[in-house]
């Protein structure tokens, strides 16, 4: 009986016994309510944006395109929903020329998400490679890579992104080879690539610090003694232990990419007509803030939803991958007898 009680007590203290690393991460992530809700919201936003008006020649279910100019449903173009069942022809309203704001917001969300993923993937890859190589090999390799990183850091990000974004738009503005290859979103893709090439610096420094710490650990020394190559040590031993830091900071880079793209488009240096982004929607309608505020509500709401969702997902992934993050359940501890109940009278 005592042995069974001890086993039950050990299981109550650590409910991850017998689970693989992937199962532990999945269990911790799905146990984080904020991260789970944020993931659902983010997936719904992506599905809504790409299914409503279609993408890359695939038709959507919404009646209007972001380029259509129907007549104004109301004198001011205000939203035309009638809750709870009828959302009207223009639930987000119309701009001054009659374009449907819902379709425009969905198009802006598509391009903002596209830029976010390009910047996040490219910036994450560069940050991991440069930070990991410099942190593991040290010496002149670290000196060269970190001095290069310092040079990129001292250049104001928004100014460099504006210059590169303008170059990308000029390259694709006259029906050149790039537009023929990449399609109508050529300028958007090039903007994401250019910004991704300069936004990796913060992640590289964090990954370098993590590699500097992990390379001195006992399991790395054991792998060296066993004859493991540098490549195997990096990919099999160090990188899996640094994946939490990498994923969290990559999500932060992606959230920053949305805000940076919105800022550039607001200044007229990012996505340009005929394409639409959430930032350019706000910029185009800034003069109507007092008279037609719904032109700001919806693009701003989707920017907030995307950024908050990405941040909460990143926090959930950090808690899931970090073995030091463990929730303490007081009721469970009292029930298992690990601590005494302060409300229970003593015998």
């Amino acid at each position: 009986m005592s042995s069974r009680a001890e086993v039950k007590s050990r299981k109550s203290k650590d409910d991850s016994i017998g689970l693989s690393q992937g199962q532990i991460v999945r269990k911790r992530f799905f146990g984080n309510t904020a991260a789970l809700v944020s993931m659902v919201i983010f997936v719904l936003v992506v599905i809504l944006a790409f299914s409503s008006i279609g993408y890359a020649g695939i038709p959507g279910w919404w009646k209007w395109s972001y380029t259509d100019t129907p007549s104004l449903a109301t004198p001011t173009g205000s939203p035309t929903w009638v809750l709870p069942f009828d959302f009207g022809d223009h639930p987000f309203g119309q701009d001054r020329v009659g374009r449907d704001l819902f379709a425009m917001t969905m198009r802006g969300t598509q391009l903002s998400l596209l830029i976010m993923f390009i910047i996040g993937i490219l910036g994450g890859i560069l940050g991991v490679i440069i930070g990991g190589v410099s942190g593991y090999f040290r010496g002149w390799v670290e000196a060269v890579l970190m001095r290069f990183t310092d040079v990129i850091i001292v250049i104001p990000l928004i100014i460099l992104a504006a210059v590169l974004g303008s170059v990308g738009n000029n390259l694709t503005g006259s029906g050149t080879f790039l537009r023929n290859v990449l399609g109508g979103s050529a300028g958007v893709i090039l903007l994401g690539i250019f910004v991704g090439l300069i936004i990796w610096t913060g992640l590289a420094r964090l990954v370098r610090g993590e590699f500097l710490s992990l390379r001195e650990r006992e399991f790395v020394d054991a792998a060296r003694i066993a004859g493991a190559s540098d490549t195997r040590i990096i990919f099999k031993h160090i990188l899996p232990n640094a994946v939490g830091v990498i994923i969290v900071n990559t999500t932060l880079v992606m959230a920053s990419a949305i805000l940076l793209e919105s800022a550039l488009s607001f200044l007229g240096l990012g996505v340009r007509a005929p394409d639409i982004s959430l930032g350019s929607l706000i910029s185009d309608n800034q003069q109507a803030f007092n008279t037609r505020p719904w032109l700001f509500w919806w693009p701003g709401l989707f920017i907030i939803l995307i950024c908050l969702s990405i941040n909460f997902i990143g926090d959930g992934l950090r808690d899931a991958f970090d073995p030091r993050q463990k929730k303490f359940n007081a009721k469970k501890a009292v029930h298992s007898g690990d601590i005494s109940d302060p409300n229970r009278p003593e015998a």
Side-chain angles (χ1 to χ4, degrees):
M1 293 294 293
S2 60
S3 61
R4 291 183 179 180
E6 291 175 359
V7 172
K8 184 177 180 181
S9 177
R10 285 197 298 268
K11 287 185 177 181
S12 65
K13 292 178 182 178
D14 188 2
D15 54 1
S16 62
I17 294 176
L19 299 178
S20 65
Q21 182 65 26
Q23 291 173 328
I24 294 173
V25 170
R26 185 165 57 251
K27 183 176 181 180
R28 288 177 177 171
F29 180 79
F30 285 109
N32 190 319
T33 304
L36 192 60
V37 172
S38 298
M39 186 177 67
V40 172
I41 292 175
F42 182 74
V43 171
L44 290 177
V45 168
V46 173
I47 294 175
L48 178 64
F50 285 91
S51 67
S52 57
I53 62 172
Y55 185 76
I58 301 174
W61 49 264
W62 187 241
K63 65 182 72 176
W64 306 114
S65 170
Y66 67 97
T67 57
D68 294 339
T69 56
S71 59
L72 292 175
T74 62
T76 59
S78 58
T80 57
W81 66 66
V82 180
L83 295 178
F85 301 113
D86 186 8
F87 289 94
D89 289 336
H90 306 285
F92 285 11
Q94 297 171 270
D95 67 358
R96 61 183 181 276
V97 298
R99 291 179 297 180
D100 181 64
L101 188 61
F102 175 79
M104 296 172 68
T105 303
M106 293 302 100
R107 176 61 176 176
T109 303
Q110 287 180 358
L111 296 189
S112 295
L113 288 171
L114 180 62
I115 292 174
M116 181 192 73
F117 282 118
I118 293 174
I119 293 175
I121 293 172
L122 184 58
I125 292 174
L126 288 175
V128 170
I129 292 175
I130 294 176
V133 169
S134 62
Y136 181 80
F137 289 104
R138 304 287 301 275
W140 67 269
V141 175
E142 179 187 21
V144 171
L145 292 177
M146 286 299 101
R147 298 298 76 76
F148 174 69
T149 303
D150 293 337
V151 170
I152 301 297
I153 289 176
V154 298
I155 301 175
L157 179 60
I158 194 167
I159 295 178
L160 185 57
V163 173
L164 295 177
S166 298
V167 171
N169 280 294
N170 291 333
L171 286 175
T172 59
S174 58
T176 59
F177 172 76
L178 289 174
R179 179 168 290 276
N180 294 330
V181 172
L182 299 177
S185 300
V188 175
I189 294 175
L190 287 178
L191 175 63
I193 293 174
F194 287 146
V195 176
L197 291 174
I198 59 176
I199 205 172
W200 51 266
T201 53
L203 177 60
R205 295 173 71 92
L206 290 170
V207 173
R208 169 182 169 271
E210 194 72 11
F211 268 64
L212 286 174
S213 174
L214 292 172
R215 73 188 297 272
E216 305 299 332
R217 301 287 292 273
E218 292 81 0
F219 63 88
V220 175
D221 292 335
R224 290 197 186 99
I225 295 174
S229 62
D230 290 334
T231 303
R232 182 175 179 81
I233 292 175
I234 292 174
F235 286 99
K236 294 293 184 179
H237 299 282
I238 297 182
L239 193 59
N241 287 277
V243 69
V245 173
I246 294 171
I247 290 178
V248 171
N249 288 278
T250 300
T251 57
L252 294 178
V253 168
M254 294 171 71
S256 301
I258 285 283
L259 298 177
L260 178 61
E261 181 276 324
S262 299
L264 290 173
S265 298
F266 181 81
L267 296 174
L269 301 171
V271 178
R272 298 181 181 179
D275 282 326
I276 299 171
S277 74
L278 297 176
S280 65
L281 273 178
I282 296 176
S283 176
D284 293 341
N285 298 295
Q286 60 181 318
Q287 301 297 330
F289 180 77
N290 294 324
T291 57
R292 296 189 298 276
W294 56 87
L295 298 176
F296 290 82
W297 292 344
W298 304 111
L301 175 62
F302 275 83
I303 290 175
I304 294 172
L305 281 177
I306 294 172
C307 291
L308 287 180
S309 298
I310 291 295
N311 284 329
F312 279 119
I313 291 172
D315 289 340
L317 291 173
R318 177 199 61 197
D319 296 342
F321 279 99
D322 191 349
R324 296 166 294 183
Q325 295 285 341
K326 293 184 66 177
K327 291 184 178 180
F328 176 74
N329 192 325
K331 291 183 179 180
K332 192 174 182 180
V334 170
H335 180 72
S336 63
D338 296 333
I339 63 173
S340 59
D341 188 351
N343 297 321
R344 180 184 302 171
E346 296 182 0

